[in-house]
Amino acid sequence: MASSANGQDFDAVIVGAGFAGMYMLHKLRQAGLSARVFEAGDGVGGTWYWNRYPGARCDVESLEYQYGFSDEIQKGWTWSERYSAQPEILRYQNYVADKLDLKRDIQFSTRVTSATYDEPNALWTITTDKGNTVHARFCIMATGCLSAARVPDFEGIDDFTGDWYHTGDWPHEGVDFTGKRVGVIGTGSSGVQSIPLIAAQAKHVTVFQRTANFTLPACNRPLDPAVAAASKQTLLEDRKHALTTAGGIICFEYNERLAEDFTEAEVEAEMKARWEAGGFAFLGAFGDVMLTKSANDKAADFARREMRKHIKKPEVVDLLLPNDHPIGVKRLCLDTDYLETFNAPHVELVNARATPVSRISADGIVCGDKEYKVDAIVFATGFDAMTGAILGVNITGRKGEKLKDKWAAGPRTYLGLGSAGFPNLFFITGPGSPSVLSNMIVSIEQHVDWITDCLSRLTKGNLRVIEVKPDAEDTWVAHVNELAATTLYPQANSWYMGANIPGKPQVFMPYPGGVGVYGEKLAEVANADYDGFALGA
Ligand code: N01
């Protein structure tokens, strides 16, 4: 590798080769900048590389959960189902990587361990677990929002004599549960998707549920070839439209009318139609579902009524129906036969709220004084969301400041893109941006396009440094908090709030104002020559 006169090896280092890192690499190449991607996995894919648990499926519709930047790429790929399963998405990512010849600039099986800003030379020094040390002008964290898988610190896990797995780090060769007693801890999206398939195979399944979640029918089905073909004619235009919406999705619309403006019959009809359509459309039934308790109660009551219809075992009905948080404030789950799974005699539900999992024994899972004997444990216990993967890299900015210290009371960014004191460091879909409240691919493309324009502006202007101004960051953090406070989101112990990790500061991390409004702000900032950022030579 030939370094430039000031020791620079690449214009940019990109951390991660999921949807974000792949597109970032492509755009930087197009802009004439050199880049090296480091990826911990041995292939591209990010989330879809790691989350190979049975039933893993995207719950944004396939036609919208794909790149929207290239007509050639989208026309060369045809999705088979309404919601794509993990293997198909991973094949798509490899198709794109090969089409754009991305892999030659990606170093796989390599985890970035540290990134340190060298202020005199305005360069980031990046080190990896494979012994690499490289110097780049820009460091771009494409590390994903839900990529630091987390197994709770249960005592005794090392003594367990069976096998255990985390849904977010699933063995590539798959797992055969035939004839086994399986314990599943966790009933978020990953649990809800995997439990029916695990139960279809295992001899006995014990599900440890701490919080019952709202789960809606996915209504997955093969994609009508005519619909798939028609979408190829409109995808690029559709994507422009998606960028103006709240969620980066156009397959349904959020009703602007408030719940109180509907008659009771209209309320019922609206919710029924959306429920039966499947997917997240239900949350858009009225404009204030996420804003007022009375509107949210209507939706939550309807959801509980519908969910109840699928549950036949009287002893689990009350346990499976969520009653301790408003609907939607914890990420909604979409399911296929989840509730029905508990009707089977070999599936048992344990109330891990009343009697929490206290430890893992050699033979099973212990709650209070009861031991549940299992041969295998599946931890569907989620992620250190939004900040876990970023802070998993030891990042040191100007004057030796550590990002983990700066974020000790919660992440602080301007626009979710950068943090004061850390020049030339970018986050793709970082905390403080719409990210996980939106169609991730739309938000990824929005950020990557913005970052690329920004870097081109710097390069053309012979500017080497861009850094968030502290007052812009303070204003943005306050704005995100104020917006969140107008919603019902803070009313649940969700990973959006950091509440799933003991000791993690509880602040609402994504930007709740919507992709469209956020995009206007991004444009305004860029048009004002990166207002809120200090640009320097
Ligand atoms: O993780 P989660 P996930 N004892 O954090 C429980 C995306 N995703 O992997 O709710 C007992 O949602 C925890 O209980 P509680 C999607 O954005 C997308 O399922 O904290 N239980 C919860 O039930 C999703 O939201 C897709 O009380 C414990 C579960 O573990 C996000 O990823 C598919 C526990 C964790 O649920 C994360 O989903 C999958 C303990 N000590 C995921 N600790 C699709 O697109 C935790 N839990 C379809």
Side-chain angles (χ1 to χ4, degrees):
M1 183 191 319
S3 300
S4 68
N6 71 346
Q8 177 181 313
D9 302 309
F10 303 100
D11 290 311
V13 158
I14 300 166
V15 187
F19 273 112
M22 288 168 59
Y23 182 45
M24 191 75 245
L25 172 61
H26 172 63
K27 288 290 287 188
L28 290 184
R29 278 186 187 167
Q30 278 189 327
L33 299 176
S34 63
R36 166 59 48 96
V37 183
F38 290 110
E39 164 57 54
D42 66 7
V44 297
T47 285
W48 302 104
Y49 172 92
W50 298 104
N51 284 265
R52 300 176 190 229
Y53 60 84
R57 186 180 290 286
C58 184
D59 45 22
V60 173
E61 298 197 20
S62 337
L63 296 180
E64 304 212 48
Y65 195 78
Q66 61 179 321
Y67 285 125
F69 67 84
S70 159
D71 211 29
E72 190 190 344
I73 284 175
Q74 67 99 4
K75 285 201 167 125
W77 185 265
T78 301
W79 297 100
S80 65
E81 293 179 273
R82 179 183 183 188
Y83 298 101
S84 303
Q86 174 271 334
E88 187 170 11
I89 301 175
L90 190 57
R91 279 199 302 279
Y92 168 77
Q93 291 175 303
N94 277 282
Y95 151 76
V96 175
D98 293 340
K99 187 114 189 138
L100 299 174
D101 191 19
L102 296 179
K103 291 177 187 171
R104 68 182 154 87
D105 284 328
I106 305 175
Q107 183 173 322
F108 291 107
S109 306
T110 305
R111 191 173 283 281
V112 170
T113 48
S114 74
T116 308
Y117 190 62
D118 162 8
E119 199 168 353
N121 291 308
L123 285 178
W124 281 93
T125 302
I126 283 115
T127 65
T128 75
D129 64 354
K130 291 291 182 295
N132 309 91
T133 299
V134 297
H135 305 280
R137 224 169 113 206
F138 302 104
C139 178
I140 304 175
M141 303 298 285
T143 39
C145 297
L146 292 154
S147 41
R150 182 176 174 276
V151 176
D153 304 323
F154 291 126
E155 185 198 317
I157 195 163
D158 293 336
D159 303 330
F160 183 58
T161 51
D163 293 318
W164 62 264
Y165 313 92
H166 189 287
T167 48
D169 189 7
W170 201 258
H172 289 196
E173 61 282 11
V175 181
D176 185 1
F177 290 115
T178 308
K180 298 225 161 112
R181 296 164 304 173
V182 184
V184 183
I185 302 180
T187 53
S189 298
S190 304
V192 162
Q193 288 191 330
S194 59
I195 286 165
L197 282 105
I198 294 171
Q201 214 176 40
K203 183 166 83 180
H204 191 272
V205 178
T206 312
V207 176
F208 297 81
Q209 174 191 273
R210 189 164 67 180
T211 307
N213 264 312
F214 286 99
T215 176
L216 281 65
C219 303
N220 187 36
R221 54 178 175 262
L223 199 55
D224 180 342
V227 172
S231 82
K232 291 182 200 279
Q233 306 312 315
T234 59
L235 183 105
L236 299 197
E237 278 308 306
D238 290 347
R239 186 52 60 89
K240 285 187 200 152
H241 179 190
L243 279 162
T244 67
T245 66
I249 286 175
I250 60 162
C251 62
F252 67 87
E253 286 189 2
Y254 287 87
N255 214 326
E256 286 187 5
R257 280 173 72 189
L258 307 183
E260 63 188 21
D261 298 335
F262 287 84
T263 65
E264 281 305 310
E266 283 173 334
V267 163
E268 264 322 277
E270 184 69 25
M271 290 194 296
K272 186 166 184 292
R274 285 174 181 259
W275 186 274
E276 287 173 356
F280 294 128
F282 182 73
L283 271 193
F286 342 107
D288 49 350
V289 174
M290 300 305 296
L291 300 178
T292 64
K293 180 162 180 334
S294 58
N296 191 282
D297 282 349
K298 287 186 205 294
D301 287 344
F302 183 94
R304 278 187 287 265
R305 259 186 284 142
E306 287 298 321
M307 287 171 67
R308 183 182 287 272
K309 290 179 189 166
H310 300 268
I311 310 168
K312 303 285 179 248
K313 262 194 219 160
E315 65 271 28
V316 297
V317 176
D318 288 339
L319 209 49
L320 282 171
L321 296 180
N323 59 14
D324 64 353
H325 60 277
I327 187 169
V329 299
K330 279 170 94 86
R331 166 70 146 64
L332 278 188
C333 302
L334 300 190
D335 80 274
T336 302
D337 297 336
Y338 173 68
L339 298 167
E340 290 82 346
T341 299
F342 292 90
N343 299 333
H346 73 298
V347 180
E348 184 182 357
L349 184 62
V350 172
N351 184 347
R353 167 80 60 204
T355 316
V357 174
S358 47
R359 67 185 171 86
I360 306 295
S361 64
D363 302 320
I365 297 169
V366 181
C367 295
D369 54 11
K370 180 153 187 192
E371 182 186 47
Y372 296 85
K373 291 203 185 297
V374 295
D375 305 308
I377 302 176
V378 173
F379 292 101
T381 44
F383 302 86
D384 183 354
M386 306 212 61
T387 55
I390 294 173
L391 297 180
V393 175
N394 181 7
I395 298 178
T396 310
R398 275 198 302 108
K399 302 194 175 78
E401 186 180 21
K402 300 277 181 197
L403 190 65
K404 82 169 161 27
D405 293 336
K406 179 176 173 188
W407 285 10
R412 298 188 65 77
T413 71
Y414 178 41
L415 303 168
L417 280 163
S419 196
F422 297 82
N424 292 2
L425 175 72
F426 292 93
F427 312 115
I428 302 178
T429 64
S433 72
S435 56
V436 292
L437 298 181
S438 69
N439 176 353
M440 284 300 291
I441 301 199
V442 168
S443 285
I444 283 169
E445 290 187 346
Q446 189 180 46
H447 265 184
V448 169
D449 290 346
W450 191 94
I451 292 169
T452 308
D453 289 347
C454 172
L455 302 198
S456 299
R457 153 79 184 95
L458 296 177
T459 306
K460 282 190 196 119
N462 283 324
L463 297 166
R464 285 193 62 78
V465 183
I466 179 163
E467 182 181 349
V468 168
K469 291 181 180 167
D471 59 336
E473 179 174 290
D474 291 346
T475 307
W476 185 253
V477 170
H479 173 60
V480 174
N481 286 335
E482 278 158 21
L483 267 186
T486 66
T487 72
L488 300 173
Y489 280 115
Q491 294 190 16
N493 292 326
S494 68
W495 58 256
Y496 295 140
M497 300 284 299
N500 62 325
I501 306 288
K504 188 166 173 170
Q506 295 205 19
V507 289
F508 189 73
M509 293 184 283
Y511 169 77
V515 172
V517 174
Y518 175 79
E520 287 168 19
K521 175 71 181 171
L522 284 186
E524 195 185 296
V525 167
N527 291 338
D529 206 17
Y530 298 93
D531 184 28
F533 291 89
L535 313 187

